[in-house]
Each structure stands twice: as structure tokens, then as C-alpha cells.
Amino acid sequence: MQFLKNCLALPSFNFIGESRSNVDILDKMFTSSKANGGMIYDVKTVAFCIHHGVSE
């Protein structure tokens, strides 16, 4: 997460397909879930869904 936060501090950095606010959701998800290995991709998918309003 720190790498992503450092990238976001760069004025020319942009995500492709995701917004900067998605990083806040992702950070909370990683912190609360303590995901590792293959679960990291699942957490990223859940954060993306939450960001776009998916509730189920």
C-alpha cells in the first residue's frame, strides 16, 4: 500500500480504470482483512465493487 500511496503523490501518476479514491477503500480492506497470497486479488476486486456501489 505504501508503494501506491507514494505513486499517488506524483503529479503525473494516474490509474488506468480505477480512481484515486479507490486506494482509500483498498487500504481499509487490506488493513481489516490481513489478506495475503491469492486473497489480495479478491480484496482488490471487492474494493473495486464497493467503490462502484455494488452491495451484494
Side-chain angles (χ1 to χ4, degrees):
M1 283 308 307
Q2 190 57 48
F3 174 76
L4 289 177
K5 290 177 183 180
N6 290 342
C7 289
L8 285 172
L10 301 170
S12 62
F13 181 83
N14 285 308
F15 286 109
I16 297 174
E18 297 179 12
S19 73
R20 290 174 174 257
S21 62
N22 194 45
V23 173
D24 294 331
I25 298 169
L26 197 56
D27 188 28
K28 290 176 187 172
M29 297 291 297
F30 279 133
T31 302
S32 64
S33 70
K34 298 180 181 173
N36 59 38
M39 288 176 48
I40 291 174
Y41 182 77
D42 295 338
V43 170
K44 183 180 178 290
T45 302
V46 170
F48 185 79
C49 289
I50 290 170
H51 177 72
H52 288 283
V54 177
S55 60
E56 292 186 30

